[in-house]
Amino acid sequence: MQRQHAYMLGGLCDALVSFLLDVAWSRPSEEVEGPSGPSYDLEGAFNDNLDSDYELVKIAGSIFEPSRILFTLDATQYEAALTEWRLANPAEGEQEAAA
């Protein structure tokens, strides 16, 4: 039984590593113009707000910020949440747009 759990854990680790490598290698190079959505680095106040609302995600000893996970894995939802946040916080959204 214990051996079976070890094989299952090994399979899960393999799947996670494969997923993370796929995400890393599927990113467009900096030379290629990306889609015209929000830029993660330009949305600092929103990212900080999102990160304060949710806990850090810990996977196999690595720690990930909720805002970066959402931006990377679901750009549509990130943009929707950003738009909602800007509507609720117009002063902060304007400050970021001016920066």
Side-chain angles (χ1 to χ4, degrees), residues 11-33:
L12 289 173
C13 289
D14 288 346
L16 178 61
V17 168
S18 176
F19 168 77
L20 293 174
L21 290 174
D22 285 346
V23 169
W25 286 333
S26 66
R27 292 182 183 172
S29 73
E30 292 182 19
E31 299 169 1
V32 177
E33 188 174 320

Side-chain angles (χ1 to χ4, degrees), residues 2-82:
Q2 191 174 16
R3 181 175 284 177
Q4 185 180 13
H5 285 125
Y7 287 126
M8 288 174 55
L9 181 59
L12 289 173
C13 289
D14 288 346
L16 178 61
V17 168
S18 176
F19 168 77
L20 293 174
L21 290 174
D22 285 346
V23 169
W25 286 333
S26 66
R27 292 182 183 172
S29 73
E30 292 182 19
E31 299 169 1
V32 177
E33 188 174 320
S36 62
S39 169
Y40 182 83
D41 293 329
L42 296 178
E43 304 299 342
F46 170 69
N47 295 332
D48 291 344
N49 180 267
L50 199 59
D51 293 340
S52 70
D53 286 348
Y54 298 93
E55 294 184 23
L56 294 172
V57 177
K58 298 176 186 176
I59 302 173
S62 293
I63 299 173
F64 303 94
E65 298 166 315
S67 61
R68 183 148 322 258
I69 292 171
L70 187 60
F71 180 82
T72 303
L73 298 180
D74 193 347
T76 302
Q77 185 59 36
Y78 178 90
E79 192 165 358
L82 174 61

